[in-house]
């Protein structure tokens, strides 16, 4: 394996300069930096990570705390998977690795704090799927740089990133109204989650703005999963006064709703129009194409990476980021040509 001294000799610089190229490149002039990096590639030199940690007092690793709730396989949800890809890409571009932290069963109160310190992690990104146990609260209060996705958190070095759930839900209901639908129901996310509560709020707000009545029987709680959407849609179809449109607070639930509508011998959008939320990959593939409110999944990863790296580098916690949501119109809400 090539050594730092060999690389320094070939470039005609000191080992200290080589070290700065990899650990603090801004202090090295561009010509020298490019020469060192080019020669390093030619001879297969890789910096010693242990030495790098000692020199910079950083591990260049960020932990991922994915509290999926042991009763639900949250890590399988396609929206979370797409968020994870964006986060990993954004951190890699900033020179950081992502390490997933997991506990078995119910974690102890200090489980995540101890895990972060044991692995010498520089910061943490937390993905929340609804539960918020004391171990996560303790982590947020520990002073470790933390960024939470989709849940506001309190702590000395903590911020969060979320979507405009209220605004996105309003876009969905407004679009259905513009298509001539007046009996608009909703399948919500779990009420105890921020996305579930905010998307329901947006649905209610837009109904009020449009002068449409709020009908409790047109509101059925789901769970953001396929089977939950299927069961909720069946309940709506059993009502005496069937809706002519449904805003579904998650695309995976919307796919389940599509199946239930087909099983009842009805058509989308002729009999019932559907709009989802998330814009997961399958939304464009499932016939007739799911109209949905798209979240900026790449934006989640970029915003989280920027925030956690800035705090690692000594900056104060940045203000929360609320990413815009946009409507993507497909065949499930518009009449076929």
């Amino acid at each position: 394996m090539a050594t730092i001294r060999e690389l320094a000799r070939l470039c005609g610089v000191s080992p200290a300069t080589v070290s700065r190229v990899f650990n603090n490149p801004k202090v090295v002039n561009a010509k020298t930096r490019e020469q060192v990096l080019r020669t390093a590639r030619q001879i297969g030199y890789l910096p010693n990570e242990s030495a790098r940690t000692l020199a910079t007092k950083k591990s260049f690793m960020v932990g991922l705390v994915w509290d999926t709730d042991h009763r639900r396989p949250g890590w399988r949800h396609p929206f979370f998977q797409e968020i994870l890809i964006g986060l990993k890409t954004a951190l890699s571009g900033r020179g950081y690795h992502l390490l997933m932290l997991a506990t078995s069963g119910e974690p102890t109160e200090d489980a995540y704090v101890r895990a972060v310190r044991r692995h010498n992690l520089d910061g943490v990104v937390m993905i929340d799927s609804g539960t918020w146990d004391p171990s996560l609260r303790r982590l947020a209060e520990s002073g470790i740089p933390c960024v939470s996705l989709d849940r506001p958190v309190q702590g000395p070095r903590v911020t969060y990133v979320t979507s405009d759930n209220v605004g996105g839900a309003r876009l969905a209901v407004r679009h259905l109204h513009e298509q001539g639908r007046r009996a608009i129901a909703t399948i919500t996310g779990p009420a105890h989650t921020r996305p579930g509560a905010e998307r329901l709020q947006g649905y209610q707000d837009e109904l009020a703005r449009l002068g449409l009545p709020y009908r409790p029987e047109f509101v059925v709680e789901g769970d953001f999963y396929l089977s939950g959407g299927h069961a909720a849609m069946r309940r709506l179809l059993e009502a005496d006064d069937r809706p002519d449109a449904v805003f579904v607070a998650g695309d995976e639930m919307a796919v389940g709703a599509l199946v239930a509508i087909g099983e009842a011998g009805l058509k989308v959008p002729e009999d019932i129009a559907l709009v989802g939320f998330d814009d997961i990959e399958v939304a464009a593939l499932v016939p007739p194409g799911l109209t949905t409110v798209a979240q900026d999944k790449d934006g989640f990863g970029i915003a989280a990476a920027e925030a956690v790296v800035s705090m690692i580098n000594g900056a104060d916690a940045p203000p929360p980021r609320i990413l815009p949501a946009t409507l993507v119109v497909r065949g499930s809400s518009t009449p076929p040509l």
Side-chain angles (χ1 to χ4, degrees):
M1 181 182 296
T3 67
I4 190 172
R5 292 186 180 279
E6 181 182 356
L7 177 58
R9 180 180 60 78
L10 291 173
C11 295
V13 299
S14 69
T17 297
V18 172
S19 178
R20 283 191 287 272
V21 167
F22 288 97
N23 298 320
N24 192 13
K26 292 180 180 179
V27 303
V28 182
N29 73 69
K31 184 177 180 180
T32 301
R33 185 169 65 242
E34 291 169 6
Q35 179 194 14
V36 170
L37 293 174
R38 182 174 59 254
T39 307
R41 288 192 295 269
Q42 291 171 349
I43 68 172
Y45 172 80
L46 293 173
N48 185 295
E49 290 298 327
S50 297
R52 187 185 186 202
T53 297
L54 287 172
T56 63
K57 297 182 172 60
K58 295 178 184 177
S59 65
F60 293 90
M61 289 196 297
V62 170
L64 175 68
V65 175
W66 197 335
D67 179 43
T68 62
D69 181 349
H70 64 281
R71 295 160 294 185
R72 258 303 190 183
W75 51 271
R76 294 182 184 175
H77 197 286
F79 174 71
F80 287 132
Q81 290 182 10
E82 292 180 36
I83 287 284
L84 182 57
I85 291 170
L87 175 63
K88 179 181 179 295
T89 301
L91 284 172
S92 296
R94 290 160 175 79
Y96 283 80
H97 300 289
L98 190 63
L99 178 69
M100 178 174 283
L101 302 179
T103 61
S104 57
E106 298 290 345
T108 61
E109 186 169 337
D110 63 347
Y112 289 123
V113 173
R114 287 191 292 106
V116 168
R117 290 174 177 162
R118 181 168 64 251
H119 295 288
N120 192 32
L121 303 181
D122 296 330
V124 171
V125 174
M126 299 182 288
I127 297 181
D128 168 45
S129 62
T131 61
W132 192 250
D133 60 54
S135 64
L136 297 176
R137 191 173 299 110
R138 179 73 177 272
L139 178 59
E141 295 169 350
S142 68
I144 296 166
C146 293
V147 178
S148 174
L149 303 187
D150 261 346
R151 178 185 282 269
V153 289
Q154 300 294 323
R157 305 182 71 194
V158 172
T159 190
Y160 68 92
V161 181
T162 189
S163 287
D164 183 5
N165 292 300
V166 173
R170 297 189 69 160
L171 284 175
V173 176
R174 189 178 314 150
H175 169 71
L176 290 169
H177 184 268
E178 289 169 351
Q179 304 309 306
R181 311 291 174 157
R182 297 296 181 265
I184 303 173
T186 186
I187 297 173
T188 75
H192 65 277
T193 66
R194 181 186 179 96
E198 289 187 342
R199 292 170 198 176
L200 174 59
Q201 184 63 55
Y203 164 81
Q204 294 171 324
D205 290 349
E206 193 62 19
L207 285 184
R209 191 191 72 82
L210 295 169
L212 298 177
Y214 174 75
R215 301 171 59 176
E217 69 272 21
F218 273 11
V219 179
V220 180
E221 184 173 337
D223 60 1
F224 288 134
Y225 291 89
L226 194 75
S227 59
H230 183 268
M233 191 68 235
R234 290 185 63 178
R235 284 183 56 189
L236 288 172
L237 293 174
E238 291 167 358
D240 293 334
D241 187 9
R242 193 183 70 210
D244 62 7
V246 183
F247 163 53
V248 189
D251 283 352
E252 185 156 314
M253 290 195 299
V255 174
L258 274 168
V259 173
I261 292 169
E263 290 172 345
L266 301 172
K267 293 184 178 180
V268 174
E270 291 88 341
D271 298 310
I272 300 176
L274 281 184
V275 176
F277 204 111
D278 290 335
D279 198 25
I280 59 176
E281 185 177 2
V282 73
L285 303 177
V286 60
L290 180 64
T291 295
T292 187
V293 177
Q295 299 196 74
D296 185 356
K297 295 179 283 292
D298 288 339
F300 262 94
I302 292 169
E306 287 177 347
V308 73
V309 170
S310 71
M311 288 188 285
I312 289 169
N313 290 331
D316 293 334
R321 287 281 302 276
I322 300 177
L323 302 174
T326 56
L327 184 70
V328 179
V329 178
R330 300 189 180 101
S332 68
S333 65
T334 56
L337 296 176

